[in-house]
Amino acid sequence: MIDTRTLTQLGAHVEPPQSPEAAVLETVPFARGNGPPAIVRFVCPEFTSLCPVTGQPDFAHIVIDYAPDTLLVESKSLKLFMTSFRNHGAFHEECTVMIGRRIVAATKPLWLRIGGYWYPRGGIPIDVFWQTAAPPEGAWLPDTGVAPYRGRG
């Protein structure tokens, strides 16, 4: 059984962080074992942030795949982190890459990739992709499941 006593958010009432910088990504131990690495996927189909110029909301479908080494990101802390972008003004590219880099800093995975599939504003959808390196050998990497933009729905 994993010792969760060090977690400050899981099982507690926690107010959403006011910014991504204020958000705390917590981790739990992971025993990787032998064989090909596991791939963990988080999908956030209703991600929102703010346009840094107009302050209007931007919407995205975020897909995060990572191969954990010794740490997993705790999912409640990830949800709170993702929610913190609702008050954050940044361009699509910055938001997407910031999410990936924060998870990498917290978990030090073998590999991570993130896809940010942004809904159009001004008629142009923007898709942003970032990964740490080549995927680990032997890992099963499923398709992200997000179709090219055609009214995404």
Side-chain angles (χ1 to χ4, degrees):
M1 179 111 180
I2 293 175
D3 183 2
T4 59
R5 291 178 290 183
T6 60
L7 299 175
T8 63
Q9 300 172 95
L10 184 63
H13 174 75
V14 179
E15 292 295 323
Q18 291 301 303
S19 70
E21 295 80 14
V24 176
L25 280 175
E26 296 187 320
T27 60
V28 294
F30 176 68
R32 194 161 65 89
N34 296 325
I39 300 296
V40 177
R41 173 171 286 172
F42 290 105
V43 178
C44 186
E46 298 175 348
F47 180 84
T48 58
S49 66
L50 298 176
C51 172
V53 176
T54 66
Q56 295 293 311
D58 286 322
F59 302 91
H61 184 130
I62 305 286
V63 179
I64 303 161
D65 290 321
Y66 76 108
D69 187 14
T70 61
L71 297 171
L72 299 170
V73 65
E74 192 282 311
S75 63
K76 181 176 181 179
S77 73
L78 180 66
K79 292 171 197 172
L80 289 165
F81 171 61
M82 299 297 273
T83 300
S84 73
F85 282 86
R86 292 181 181 168
N87 301 316
H88 182 72
F91 291 113
H92 304 335
E93 298 85 349
E94 181 185 340
C95 288
T96 305
V97 174
M98 178 191 283
I99 294 165
R101 286 187 172 146
R102 282 289 303 276
I103 295 169
V104 167
T107 65
K108 298 173 182 40
L110 301 171
W111 172 83
L112 178 138
R113 75 174 174 191
I114 182 169
Y117 301 86
W118 294 83
Y119 289 84
R121 287 186 88 236
I124 299 174
I126 298 174
D127 295 341
V128 181
F129 307 99
W130 184 79
Q131 69 180 23
T132 57
E137 189 172 329
W140 178 62
L141 300 176
D143 182 85
T144 62
V146 181
Y149 187 79
R150 284 186 177 70
R152 280 198 187 117

